[in-house]
Amino acid sequence: MVSIQKIVSVYILIFNTIMKNKHLIISSIFLLGLLGCSHPADTRKEPLTGWNQVPEILKNIQEPVFPDSSFNIFDYGAKADVTYDSRPALLKAINECNLAGGGKVIVPAGQYLVKGPLILKSHVNLHLEKGARLEFSAEPTDYLPMVLTEWEGTECYNYSPFIYSYQCVNVAITGEGEIDGNGAVVFNTWKKLEKPAMDRLRQMGNDSVPVYERVFGEGYYLRPCMVQFFGCKNVLVDGVKIYDSPFWIIHPVYCDNVIVRNVYIDGQNYNNDGCDPESSTNVLIENVHFNVGDDGIAIKSGRDQDGWRVGQATENVIIRNCHFSQWAITIGSEMSGGVRNIFIEDCKIDSCRNGIYFKSNMDRGGFFENLYMRRITADICLWGMINFRTDYHGYRGGNYPTKFRNITIEDVVCNRVDSVALMANGIPEAKLYNITLRNIEVKKAPKATQMKNVENLVLENVKVNGKLITEAEE
């Protein structure tokens, strides 16, 4: 049996050892404490900024997936005959496809008359085979009854877009076929008749008139879009050719996860914007050839009071490898919900009015922020290669400045500008902040720059007419 004296002796020995090495032991305990309390922050990554955000955005942009089922429009009574209305057969095939859980609605080679809108439904891929061509009617009353739509940034009830999808999931238009809107026949003549209805609609938006009271349609001359996805998720337009639209051509509004790729668009009518993603998120536009009579791509998010009411920004948009034969890239002017996280790269412009055009006014409010553009080539720009404009066609004389901030444009070459090469004109109430122009060359222009009310402007290796520009002129 261990004696009490031996136990006491052992405790004394341990105590003396601790006292002799107390500094070492305390340090060890402190270190172990630090290790024990260490936070996973040691492995945290820095917040993604600039082009480093693109891979993360692409993770949220995926093609919709459709069941492996086919619904041939011939089985529902369609005829490849432009004197026969195949719209009822198309609608039957779309409906059957939707009821069966989804798949492809096949449009075989041939020309088809479509007297009225095609209403796409969830899980339906409208697939136009090579040689197929949908010829839409030029009769405006064929596009009644009215549907909920958005016209130049303000919600209303109006003629149906020619291809329309409302609050659907997994919807697509694909294939190598063609879509002809025949917009020049009647709808293009409405441009000169639209102003009374346009002013009425804009006033309704500004007065917050309930949307159900904003009823237009017959007698008001507001032209419908060619293709509109309204409030949809998982949208794809791939491979088709679109001609002669009555108004805006591809218009995703309030959508998420949108892909427009490998499309050829030819529309020379008034307001024939090529693609207008509006109040939408996670959008990819790539390998598209725009030959249009207005903006090739116009990024938007609602107009004035109506845009503020909805309050949905357009964000996380990637545009790459696109070809603009006439008009090019615009952000605005309907952008009251804000525009952020836009990435544009590797695009070619043949000729245009403005190459990269930011436009807003004191009615809009909203913001442009975190916009990045690189590797863009242009031949001729009539008004400017880069143009920030804060006074674009305001109607109300408002006091709601737009915020411009954190915009970087680099690696741009333009052969000729017929006005001012680079314009960035803020106003005291709406200055431009953190604008970087890097590796920009305009080979020929009558004037190099026109810039004012810009805070933290960076000009790095900017050349006009072979001369390095280090300071902006007003």
Side-chain angles (χ1 to χ4, degrees):
M1 188 171 181
V2 179
S3 66
I4 293 176
Q5 289 86 355
K6 287 185 178 181
I7 293 173
V8 171
S9 299
V10 170
Y11 273 108
I12 292 172
L13 178 62
I14 293 171
F15 178 77
N16 290 334
T17 302
I18 291 173
M19 293 307 294
K20 289 179 181 178
N21 300 279
K22 61 183 178 181
H23 296 297
L24 177 61
I25 292 172
I26 291 171
S27 298
S28 298
I29 291 171
F30 180 72
L31 180 59
L32 287 170
L34 285 178
L35 292 173
C37 296
S38 65
H39 193 275
D42 295 339
T43 61
R44 285 183 301 183
K45 297 179 180 178
E46 291 295 321
L48 294 173
T49 59
W51 288 98
N52 292 331
Q53 298 175 74
V54 169
E56 291 300 311
I57 293 172
L58 287 172
K59 290 179 182 178
N60 295 318
I61 303 175
Q62 302 292 330
E63 287 191 19
V65 177
F66 299 93
D68 189 19
S69 300
S70 296
F71 301 80
N72 192 308
I73 64 170
F74 283 163
D75 296 334
Y76 298 88
K79 295 181 182 179
D81 180 348
V82 292
T83 66
Y84 176 84
D85 182 14
S86 288
R87 177 176 178 256
L90 279 153
L91 292 178
K92 285 179 184 177
I94 290 168
N95 190 54
E96 286 293 322
C97 180
N98 168 259
L99 290 175
K104 280 185 180 180
V105 170
I106 303 295
V107 182
Q111 289 183 287
Y112 305 87
L113 174 63
V114 184
K115 286 179 64 60
L118 295 181
I119 310 301
L120 295 186
K121 296 185 176 183
S122 293
H123 311 295
V124 173
N125 176 3
L126 179 64
H127 184 77
L128 281 66
E129 293 185 338
K130 187 174 183 179
R133 185 179 179 97
L134 300 180
E135 293 276 358
F136 279 88
S137 162
E139 176 53 56
T141 55
D142 287 343
Y143 301 95
L144 297 173
M146 293 174 286
V147 298
L148 176 61
T149 184
E150 194 180 64
W151 200 88
E152 288 195 345
T154 306
E155 291 182 358
C156 66
Y157 286 86
N158 192 36
Y159 292 95
S160 174
F162 288 12
I163 299 178
Y164 179 69
S165 187
Y166 178 77
Q167 292 191 349
C168 290
V169 177
N170 298 333
V171 62
I173 305 169
T174 65
E176 298 181 65
E178 300 176 350
I179 301 169
D180 190 341
N182 290 299
V185 179
V186 175
F187 285 106
N188 201 44
T189 67
W190 285 11
K191 174 67 175 178
K192 61 186 178 184
L193 304 173
E194 75 186 9
K195 191 174 189 307
M198 178 180 70
D199 291 345
R200 178 173 179 261
L201 174 59
R202 289 176 178 171
Q203 192 61 50
M204 284 179 159
N206 292 335
D207 293 342
S208 298
V209 172
V211 175
Y212 67 83
E213 295 182 14
R214 305 177 195 175
V215 179
F216 288 81
E218 196 165 12
Y220 286 100
Y221 305 105
L222 297 181
R223 294 158 290 155
C225 293
M226 185 76 211
V227 179
Q228 186 177 81
F229 301 95
F230 193 107
C232 296
K233 184 176 177 65
N234 307 338
V235 173
L236 174 66
V237 182
D238 189 352
V240 294
K241 299 178 178 64
I242 304 176
Y243 300 92
D244 201 6
S245 171
F247 192 57
W248 293 1
I249 300 172
I250 300 176
H251 184 203
V253 55
Y254 310 141
C255 290
D256 179 56
N257 186 24
V258 177
I259 299 174
V260 179
R261 66 157 60 111
N262 305 322
V263 176
Y264 176 78
I265 299 176
D266 189 334
Q268 305 303 316
N269 298 324
Y270 292 116
N271 305 107
N272 266 187
D273 293 11
C275 185
D276 296 60
E278 183 159 14
S279 300
S280 294
T281 57
N282 300 314
V283 178
L284 172 63
I285 304 171
E286 63 178 354
N287 304 323
V288 178
H289 187 166
F290 296 94
N291 182 27
V292 293
D294 210 323
D295 301 319
I297 295 174
I299 300 172
K300 302 175 181 290
S301 64
R303 184 184 187 94
D304 301 349
Q305 185 71 36
D306 214 47
W308 305 339
R309 174 183 62 83
V310 175
Q312 183 171 332
T314 291
E315 56 189 333
N316 299 342
V317 177
I318 298 169
I319 299 167
R320 59 192 185 188
N321 300 311
C322 289
H323 183 184
F324 302 88
S325 291
Q326 296 186 62
W327 295 57
I329 302 163
T330 297
I331 298 95
S333 72
E334 299 88 357
M335 41 62 61
S336 297
V339 174
R340 66 161 67 92
N341 299 341
I342 310 297
F343 301 86
I344 302 173
E345 63 179 339
D346 298 314
C347 291
K348 178 183 177 183
I349 302 166
D350 292 340
S351 63
C352 62
R353 295 193 182 184
N354 287 287
I356 303 169
Y357 192 15
F358 304 84
K359 55 184 182 181
S360 185
N361 60 47
M362 290 293 286
D363 293 344
R364 294 287 185 268
F367 55 84
F368 296 120
E369 66 181 13
N370 306 335
L371 278 61
Y372 302 88
M373 307 175 193
R374 66 184 181 185
R375 298 196 298 268
I376 297 172
T377 62
D379 185 16
I380 300 171
C381 297
L382 298 180
W383 296 346
M385 181 60 226
I386 299 169
N387 186 357
F388 293 83
R389 185 174 176 185
T390 55
D391 63 347
Y392 183 82
H393 298 336
Y395 291 89
R396 295 190 294 165
N399 188 29
Y400 312 105
T402 299
K403 296 177 182 179
F404 292 76
R405 57 198 176 204
N406 306 334
I407 299 170
T408 298
I409 304 172
E410 56 191 337
D411 302 325
V412 173
V413 177
C414 177
N415 288 329
R416 192 184 92 200
V417 171
D418 290 347
S419 181
V420 182
L422 308 171
M423 289 182 278
N425 294 312
I427 56 178
E429 302 90 336
K431 292 183 178 181
L432 316 179
Y433 292 91
N434 303 333
I435 308 298
T436 297
L437 305 181
R438 179 184 297 118
N439 300 332
I440 311 290
E441 181 178 10
V442 177
K443 295 181 180 179
K444 184 178 180 181
K447 185 175 180 180
T449 64
Q450 184 185 84
M451 300 183 180
K452 57 185 177 182
N453 293 305
V454 185
E455 296 286 339
N456 194 23
L457 171 66
V458 176
L459 299 175
E460 184 178 316
N461 192 28
V462 175
K463 293 181 181 179
V464 180
N465 298 323
K467 180 181 177 182
L468 193 65
I469 307 298
T470 57
E471 294 184 358
E473 299 177 4
E474 293 192 7

